[in-house]
Amino acid sequence: SQAQAQDDIVFALVLGMLAIYMILASLFNSLVHPLTIMTSAPLSFVGGFFALKLANQSFDVMGAMGLLVLMGLVMKNGILLVDYTNQLRESGLSRDDAILRAGPVRMRPVLMTSAALVLGLLPMALSRAAGAEFRAPMAVIVIGGLATSTALTLVVVPVFYTLVDGSTAWLRSALARGVARLRRRRAEPARTTP
């Protein structure tokens, strides 16, 4: 039934997000950077649903499958950006300098792959052949999601990267200060005892 199919798609989306997070966490050796990359997924969903509304298409099982496809495609852009930023930081650049250099360098491959996918899916979205209306929602969602996420990823991911990295650095220093205070308190009674 339709309800069962939608439940299965929601389950697949959640499972897909979890699997992507685990793979990215092992790839970047970090629990935080995968969250930075995954911010591009909600941005793409907004664009996908907006494109469906513009095209006057209904959200069905094929549209839900399009969301699954879209989720993987748009995170690729975030991976390109964050991975190159991390490489630049390892080579000695500061966080802000690395972000400012990574954006322009990675913009061309991001735009080229997104444009190739959008142009490749246009025939499926615009086709009037028999049965084409069944596949059209998937193409429309992917096209709309790619268009918006490509533009927003190049702005939102670097901003989110900066915020998350700054918060993580502050948290680490706060924990280090707390541990240092605890050690001092434990050492003080030992000094005062005869």
Side-chain angles (χ1 to χ4, degrees), residues 30-64:
S30 165
L31 296 174
V32 178
H33 287 311
L35 296 174
T36 306
I37 293 164
M38 292 172 83
T39 55
S40 51
L43 302 175
S44 67
F45 292 169
V46 170
F49 285 118
F50 183 67
L52 267 185
K53 186 79 175 166
L54 279 180
N56 202 20
Q57 297 276 354
S58 59
F59 182 70
D60 56 7
V61 175
M62 287 301 281

Side-chain angles (χ1 to χ4, degrees), residues 92-105:
L93 284 179
S94 69
R95 181 191 65 203
D96 293 345
D97 289 341
I99 289 169
L100 289 172
R101 189 178 294 183
V105 170

